[in-house]
Amino acid sequence: MATPTPSDPAADRWRPGHRAFALAIGLVLAAGCAWGVSRLVRLQADPAGWAPQEWVDGQAGDRLNKALGHLPGQGRADLWAAALRYRWLGDLGPQVAEGCPGWLFYRDGLRPQPAQGDAFAQRLKLMRHWTGQLAQAGIRTLVVAVPDKSRIQHAQRCGLAVSRPMQARLDTWQQALAAQGVPYADLRPALATLPQPYFRTDVHLNAEGAEAAADRVAREALPLLGGRGTQAFEQQRAAVPEPRMGDLIVLAGLEHAPEGWRPAIEQVVPETVRPVRAGGLLDDGPQAEVLLLGDSNGLRSDFAERLGRQLGREVWNQSRDGGYFSGAMLAALAGQRQWPASVRLVVWQFSELSLSLPLSAGERRAIDALP
């Protein structure tokens, strides 16, 4: 009986079937490499955004993942993965949490992000510097930190816990403002009297919340302006409610999911608040005395217009989506020489949670430039 001859591993490695498989894998790897290179070439980013600190706090990695993560057809795959995860597990992903049924909260408002370092202390330095810089130009600053939704709508959290550092952060911030002699508006008492000042599926104030916030801010601003102005405003309210897609549904990747596969969309009656124009089409009205430098809260629910109505003055709104703590302030200060001489008060508005985020690249540059 003949003994089987052991096969040569080197010969097996180069059999036709193995070569075809290796060639297919090589082509897939080459295509993936070419795709990644093309995405990186089209990625436009500030060189400072790739500094070592950006990698430490994860911001550079996030940008890189976003640049490389969009393969053809991936959007639809991600949508159904998110829809199945919500339908079967009630999970809304790493950035959104559901409290009571249908009530969504931003996770960054519940616990601080890692790698903050001394971000809070550094923002205190920026606050002192910027308010002092404006004071030297004869401009007062009123600071408004919009409380996080989880703080005001605490009854709708239904078991979602908020970390102790986040609970104490707003009081610590306002105590620092008081010690520095910087005026501020505490919105918590005004918002706490309302049953629902925030949208159910959104981080922002709804019409009622924005009106209460504007009233509270105006109470602090009017003494700094010497009284109420004479500008009239008009308000229009639609007859029927309309569906409103909340930003937390979008953040969870469920914007285009069918009903039943995402949280229910809110029905909201649209409102608009606008100044009454007394002149013709070319009438620009009086020059701005109040400049609003806010984040997305300053662009939602007609907050700026509601504030203007309370002040009797039009508000020059330079708020920025995604501005967080300093985006609008940095952009406005860069063009301060072009401000009208009539500006007397800056309302600096940002969300409470932005105090607990890692420093942005712009904030680090501003800190490095401090005298």
Side-chain angles (χ1 to χ4, degrees):
M1 181 175 179
T3 303
T5 303
S7 61
D8 183 0
D12 286 346
R13 193 182 308 130
W14 296 107
R15 286 178 180 176
H18 290 181
R19 288 197 299 269
F21 182 74
L23 179 61
I25 293 296
L27 291 174
V28 170
L29 292 175
C33 182
W35 172 266
V37 170
S38 69
R39 296 291 298 183
L40 291 175
V41 168
R42 285 180 286 178
L43 177 62
Q44 297 180 353
D46 186 342
W50 304 107
Q53 181 59 37
E54 294 282 319
W55 292 98
V56 171
D57 61 28
Q59 296 187 53
D62 287 342
R63 283 193 292 272
L64 192 61
N65 288 337
K66 290 177 181 178
L68 298 176
H70 296 283
L71 298 174
Q74 184 173 351
R76 189 166 183 80
D78 289 344
L79 168 64
W80 281 107
L84 289 169
R85 185 177 60 214
Y86 175 71
R87 182 70 176 265
W88 290 348
L89 304 176
D91 182 40
L92 290 162
Q95 294 180 289
V96 183
E98 186 171 26
C100 300
W103 277 89
L104 308 187
F105 296 87
Y106 191 30
R107 289 191 186 275
D108 279 348
L110 303 173
R111 78 289 184 265
Q113 286 192 9
Q116 287 187 69
D118 60 348
F120 185 77
Q122 298 285 48
R123 288 192 172 106
L124 285 174
K125 292 181 182 179
L126 291 174
M127 177 273 292
R128 297 185 185 105
H129 177 70
W130 288 337
T131 55
Q133 177 180 338
L134 292 171
Q136 289 179 355
I139 300 172
R140 303 292 300 273
T141 306
L142 177 64
V143 180
V144 183
V146 177
D148 191 73
K149 176 181 177 180
S150 63
R151 180 186 293 277
I152 303 299
Q153 304 279 185
H154 55 84
Q156 285 75 33
R157 295 207 310 262
C158 286
L160 291 178
V162 180
S163 70
R164 289 187 177 181
M166 298 291 282
Q167 291 176 351
R169 185 57 48 90
L170 186 54
D171 282 330
T172 305
W173 172 258
Q174 293 185 162
Q175 288 165 8
L177 292 172
Q180 190 70 20
V182 177
Y184 66 90
D186 187 350
L187 302 184
R188 289 175 292 182
L191 297 177
T193 62
L194 301 176
Q196 184 184 332
Y198 291 81
F199 291 110
R200 180 171 48 78
T201 62
D202 198 296
V203 298
H204 298 101
L205 295 168
N206 58 24
E208 284 187 311
E211 186 67 33
D215 179 72
R216 187 69 189 91
V217 174
R219 289 174 184 268
E220 300 296 335
L222 285 174
L224 304 176
L225 293 168
R228 196 177 186 281
T230 59
Q231 174 65 52
F233 287 76
E234 61 182 2
Q235 178 172 331
Q236 295 180 343
R237 182 179 173 88
V240 296
E242 298 178 359
R244 184 185 186 279
M245 178 63 65
D247 61 1
L248 291 173
I249 295 180
V250 177
L251 190 60
L254 295 170
E255 178 182 6
H256 301 293
E259 291 185 20
W261 295 81
R262 64 182 176 191
I265 297 177
E266 293 177 85
Q267 298 292 320
V268 177
V269 178
E271 291 185 8
T272 56
V273 179
R274 294 292 180 267
V276 176
R277 302 295 185 186
L281 294 176
L282 300 180
D283 178 25
D284 292 330
Q287 288 193 319
E289 296 180 84
V290 180
L291 169 59
L292 174 61
L293 300 179
D295 61 3
S296 56
N297 289 282
L299 299 170
R300 302 291 188 274
S301 300
D302 281 352
F303 172 73
E305 291 77 13
R306 295 176 191 278
L307 176 59
R309 181 169 59 182
Q310 297 285 351
L311 298 176
R313 296 171 171 84
E314 285 193 56
V315 171
W316 182 25
N317 190 2
Q318 293 296 297
S319 300
R320 298 167 69 94
D321 265 323
Y324 293 105
F325 176 75
S326 62
M329 178 65 80
L330 286 168
L333 289 177
Q336 187 176 354
R337 291 184 178 180
Q338 283 72 49
W339 293 8
S342 55
V343 173
R344 300 164 53 196
L345 175 67
V346 165
V347 177
W348 179 18
Q349 173 272 311
F350 47 84
S351 59
E352 173 190 352
L353 72 88
S354 67
L355 295 172
S356 300
L357 297 177
L359 292 173
S360 67
E363 288 168 352
R364 282 196 290 272
R365 289 194 294 269
I367 289 167
D368 291 340
L370 291 178

